[in-house]
Amino acid sequence: MKEPFLSAVPVLKHLEDAGFEAYFVGGSVRDYLLNKPISDVDIATSATPMEVKQLFSKTVDIGIEHGTVLVLYQKKSYELTTFRTDGEYIDHRRPAEVSFIRNLYDDLKRRDFTMNAIAMDRSGTLHDPFNGQQAIKEKIIQTVGHAKDRFQEDALRMMRAVRFVSQLSFEIEKETLEALKSNLPLLREIAIERKKAEFEKLLSGNNRKKAMGIMTQTNFFSYLPGLANQEKHFEQLLSYDCEGLNLMEMWSMVLYCLKLPEKSVEPFLRKWRMAVKDMKEIQSILYYTITRLKQEWTVYDLYSAGKNIIHSSEKLYLVLKGISEKESISYWLDRYEQLPIKARTDLAVDGSDLMMWFDKSGGSWIKETLLKIEAAILEEKIVNDKQHIKEWLKDCSRKQD
Ligand code: ATP
Ligand code: MG
């Protein structure tokens, strides 16, 4: 066994010493068997949330109704989830009730795919009643139990299936794929936030091409916000080498390929319930990428875009142009660093200076004058120095008179 499991072994032992069972489960065990980097370990236990809270001094209730308690132990945190079964599902998305149980088998049985239904005890022994290891070896995504029933219980699992294709490059097993094809309309019941989380993992996966191939074949896009009938545009997206793009850049890339009119971009992102900050970032990257495709960066564009957006937009520009050398990114970032000012607040003057110099009260002239000063500094007509700016302004107004 290796990290991060090793650090968590004492947590499992503590539960066992108190007479409970505890195992590593879920994605961490799957990724361990795949020799992939492991993000965080999930722990399943026969102890109820109340029992967990009594056993550990520092805990946080993060989803007690689902049986999940966060345990802080030696400066690390672990999600402990009580063994549970899900009751009848309503609306194809959530169980009416969850029941805590004391046996591992039934907990594994409620999990989505066989590869995700393997438990590992603290000595490293695997408990694998649904042959998840075999599925991992054969690179197969297969539901635990009948796919049709499992997708009808929770339609999000179909979305998880294609996101795992993107992350793991596995195949979807035949019965599972058939059930996916015939149950896709149930995705309409699923909250956008849940779909978004899975779609973003799909976009970030190395094998998004393969996942989107399946989505095109199965009409999957019809059930995702703003993506119905966009297969052609997705083909274009897949023709680019998007390796190394981060999530915000991927969304900008999707939008670029969708070729939406500018006014439809924000409504599209709103449909996906994008956070305002992310929405702004994506829109900026898209705007400057399109500008960059038309012309080189101007000082104004560098100044108004800022470092991060320059970096992302230039990256996207290179992807769209099929240029693999990345030198231009550092070239434009250097040019940005050399700008005499980086923001309005860097100006050596402000509105009150202007009012004093010209003995005039406030008004729109202040903003206009500041813009003029800003432009002159960026174009290096004047230097960013209070006295210098004052003389230049007086000079300008004399010329105007
Ligand atoms: P990741 O590496 O992205 O975290 P994961 O498999 O750990 O992948 P999580 O969403 O963290 O995915 O879920 C943890 C585990 O909970 C899964 O491995 C699976 O066993 C179970 N699980 C998650 N979502 C569902 C679901 N919708 N239906 C059934 N089981 C699920
Ligand atoms: Mg996980």
Side-chain angles (χ1 to χ4, degrees):
M1 216 184 299
K2 58 179 184 182
E3 285 300 348
F5 296 112
L6 280 181
S7 303
V9 164
V11 176
L12 271 61
K13 184 161 186 313
H14 192 58
L15 286 155
E16 285 178 12
D17 288 347
F20 301 106
E21 286 181 41
Y23 302 88
F24 298 114
V25 284
S28 58
V29 177
R30 177 196 70 226
D31 291 342
Y32 170 63
L33 295 171
L34 278 164
N35 247 328
K36 282 184 176 276
I38 298 150
S39 41
D40 38 30
V41 297
D42 291 322
I43 297 169
T45 177
S46 60
T48 63
M50 280 307 155
E51 288 162 341
V52 170
K53 286 168 67 160
Q54 276 160 10
L55 277 172
F56 294 90
S57 55
K58 287 185 195 149
T59 63
V60 184
D61 294 354
I62 51 168
I64 222 154
E65 65 285 9
H66 304 114
T68 308
V69 174
L70 193 76
V71 167
L72 305 169
Y73 184 84
Q74 290 186 343
K75 301 216 163 83
K76 293 199 173 128
S77 61
Y78 301 96
E79 275 186 27
L80 264 63
T81 305
T82 304
F83 293 161
R84 59 169 226 232
T85 56
D86 299 331
E88 279 291 302
Y89 275 77
I90 42 177
D91 307 337
H92 309 291
R93 58 193 157 130
R94 54 166 187 254
E97 55 177 16
V98 303
S99 321
F100 300 136
I101 50 170
R102 296 284 186 187
N103 87 68
L104 173 69
Y105 176 87
D106 287 328
D107 180 76
L108 294 177
K109 195 171 161 205
R110 61 120 184 139
R111 292 175 183 270
D112 52 2
F113 302 111
T114 59
M115 63 181 183
N116 290 341
I118 308 171
M120 182 166 78
D121 65 24
R122 68 184 165 90
S123 67
T125 304
L126 297 171
H127 301 254
D128 181 16
F130 305 103
N131 293 322
Q133 291 171 87
Q134 186 68 19
I136 289 175
K137 211 181 280 162
E138 293 173 11
K139 298 183 183 297
I140 284 175
I141 299 166
Q142 178 168 23
T143 52
V144 176
H146 289 299
K148 180 172 151 278
D149 301 339
R150 302 310 309 283
F151 290 159
Q152 290 188 355
E153 281 172 359
D154 181 0
L156 186 79
R157 290 171 188 153
M158 297 186 275
M159 189 113 199
R160 286 174 60 84
V162 287
R163 83 104 148 152
F164 283 123
V165 170
S166 177
Q167 287 183 320
L168 308 173
S169 196
F170 280 20
E171 305 290 333
I172 302 180
E173 175 272 335
K174 196 163 161 282
E175 186 203 320
T176 304
L177 186 63
E178 288 307 315
L180 182 146
K181 282 181 191 158
S182 48
N183 287 286
L184 275 179
L186 299 178
L187 276 173
R188 289 199 188 100
E189 314 285 333
I190 299 297
I192 305 285
E193 289 79 357
R194 294 178 80 202
K195 287 187 192 174
K196 176 167 171 275
E198 296 298 332
F199 190 59
E200 291 191 328
K201 288 186 180 177
L202 187 154
L203 282 179
S204 311
N206 280 334
N207 301 288
R208 62 180 87 81
K209 221 173 223 178
K210 188 168 176 167
M212 288 189 184
I214 296 173
M215 291 171 86
T216 310
Q217 285 163 23
T218 53
N219 201 22
F220 211 112
F221 288 112
S222 297
Y223 306 100
L224 299 181
L227 298 182
N229 305 316
Q230 300 287 353
E231 281 79 4
K232 272 237 143 46
H233 292 133
F234 269 97
E235 267 168 38
Q236 190 196 352
L237 174 73
L238 298 181
S239 70
Y240 294 115
D241 178 6
C242 298
E243 179 105 27
L245 295 187
N246 68 29
L247 193 55
M248 294 295 109
E249 292 158 359
M250 258 331 278
W251 275 111
S252 313
M253 191 72 191
V254 168
L255 278 164
Y256 177 81
C257 292
L258 289 179
K259 307 229 176 315
L260 294 181
E262 203 181 327
K263 66 174 183 357
S264 309
V265 169
E266 194 175 317
F268 173 91
L269 294 171
R270 282 193 190 282
K271 271 192 219 160
W272 277 96
R273 308 262 196 281
M274 198 69 70
V276 174
K277 181 182 152 288
D278 292 347
M279 203 150 70
K280 284 195 175 141
E281 186 173 338
I282 294 165
Q283 283 175 292
S284 291
I285 299 172
L286 182 65
Y287 172 81
Y288 286 104
T289 303
I290 293 171
T291 309
R292 178 69 178 100
L293 285 163
K294 292 185 199 142
Q295 61 180 55
E296 295 215 315
W297 288 91
T298 63
V299 282
Y300 301 105
D301 288 341
L302 291 173
Y303 172 75
S304 42
K307 205 162 155 177
N308 293 340
I309 302 292
I310 298 170
H311 189 247
S312 292
S313 311
E314 186 67 16
K315 234 166 116 184
L316 238 65
Y317 165 78
L318 295 175
V319 168
L320 291 168
K321 284 285 187 184
I323 302 171
S324 51
E325 298 84 39
K326 307 274 184 246
E327 286 82 6
S328 68
I329 299 178
S330 44
Y331 172 78
W332 291 112
L333 287 174
D334 281 351
R335 290 291 300 269
Y336 171 77
E337 289 305 333
Q338 288 157 13
L339 291 178
I341 47 171
K342 306 279 189 301
R344 171 73 51 88
T345 48
D346 292 343
L347 284 183
V349 299
D350 58 21
S352 53
D353 294 318
L354 298 180
M355 288 194 279
M356 198 166 65
W357 295 342
F358 291 93
D359 197 20
K360 269 164 75 175
S361 52
S364 61
W365 70 277
I366 293 192
K367 194 171 174 216
E368 283 158 24
T369 313
L370 287 173
L371 276 172
K372 198 166 99 176
I373 299 169
E374 203 174 47
I377 294 173
L378 284 170
E379 286 169 27
E380 300 188 33
K381 284 185 187 155
I382 54 171
V383 291
N384 186 25
D385 169 84
K386 209 164 186 160
Q387 200 53 36
H388 191 105
I389 294 170
K390 186 177 174 185
E391 279 160 24
W392 178 76
L393 281 176
K394 295 272 180 194
D395 226 30
C396 292
S397 64
R398 262 199 299 275
K399 275 180 197 155
Q400 266 173 15
D401 292 339

